[in-house]
Amino acid sequence: MKERGPSQLALALYRRELFPWALAGCTLGLVEGATAAVLVKRNFTGLVPPEAVNLAVAFVSGSPALANMTSFLWANLAHGREKVRLLVWLLAVFGVVVGVIGLSPRASSGLVLTLLSVLAARVIWAGVLTVRAAVWSANYPRAVLARTTGRIVVATSLGMAVTAALAGLVLQTRPQHASLLYVVAGIAGLLAAWLCRRIRVRQSFRLRQAEGVDGGTEVFSLRILREILRTDPEYRQFMTWLALYGAGNLMITGQLVILFTDHLHLPAAQQVGMLTILPLLCVPLFTPVWARLFDSGHVIEFRARQCW
C-alpha cells in the first residue's frame, strides 16, 4: 500500500513556516541551555564569586525545562484566541528579551539581569511552542503530522547550530564582542515574528468557535494535573518514569560546562561544539526516523523505545 503524503494545502502551509522557524532558531540558539551556560561561564568568571557563576550555569542550563512548566498557563491564554496573532506577538517579545541580554553589564547586576532574561526568554518560548502546537494540529493531518513538523524542527535546529557555532567562535577569538551576538539574535527574532504573519490556520474560524463554546472554562491547571494523576494510576506511573528519565538529562549539562572550563580548560568553541552543535546536528539525522516511528504507533510505544 502506498504511503499517504501531505496534501497540497498542507505543503503550502509548511513552506510558509519553514524559513521563519529557521530564523527563530537563530535567536533560540543563544538561550539554549548549553550555549547559554558556556556564555555565562565565560562572561562572568572572575567578575563575580565562582560559586555564584557555577550556580548561574546550572540555572541557565536547566531553564528550558523549568520554563516548560508554564505551558499550561499559555494553553489557557491561547484558548479561544487567534493563534497566529498571538504567535507573532510572542516571537516579537522573545526577540526583544534575547536582545536585552546583550545589554547586560559585566558585573553582579549583569549576571542577575542575564539570568532573569534567559528565564523570561525561555518562558516566552514555552508559549511559542504551546501555541505553535495548536497551529500544527489544525494544519497537518495526524498521519503526516510528525514527519511534516519534524522538517520544521530540523530547520530550527540547524538555525540554532549555526548560531551556537558563531557564539563559540566569537567567545574564543573576540570575547569582548559576545554581547553583540544577542543583539543580532534579537533582531533575527523580530524578523521571524514579522514573517510569521504569513502563517495561516486551516479553518481558524471553526477552531476559535469550537474553543469559544467552553472559552470561559479552565483549559488546564496544576489542580487539573493533580486530579489526573490521582485518578489515573497508569498515567501517573508513566509520567513518574518520564520524570526520572528527564532528570538525568537535566543534571549533565551544567556539570559538563564547569568541568570543561575549570578542570579540562577546553576552549569555548570546543565546549559549544560538544554540548550544543553535535546534539543539534543529530536532529536532522535522526528526526526522520523518530517521526516515522511516532506516526506508526502509540505514543507509549514511542516513548518506551526512545527511553531504551
Side-chain angles (χ1 to χ4, degrees), residues 50-79:
E51 295 82 4
V53 175
N54 291 342
L55 184 61
V57 166
F59 181 85
V60 297
S61 65
S63 60
L66 181 63
N68 285 341
M69 295 174 63
T70 65
S71 294
F72 73 92
L73 298 174
W74 293 113
N76 287 323
L77 179 65
H79 192 67

Side-chain angles (χ1 to χ4, degrees), residues 3 146-147 150-151 154 282-297 302 305-306:
E3 187 179 27
R147 276 168 287 172
R151 297 186 186 107
V154 167
C282 288
V283 173
L285 292 177
F286 297 105
T287 293
V289 178
W290 291 114
R292 283 182 170 81
L293 190 63
F294 180 85
D295 284 337
S296 64
F302 173 79
R305 293 167 180 166
Q306 188 186 44

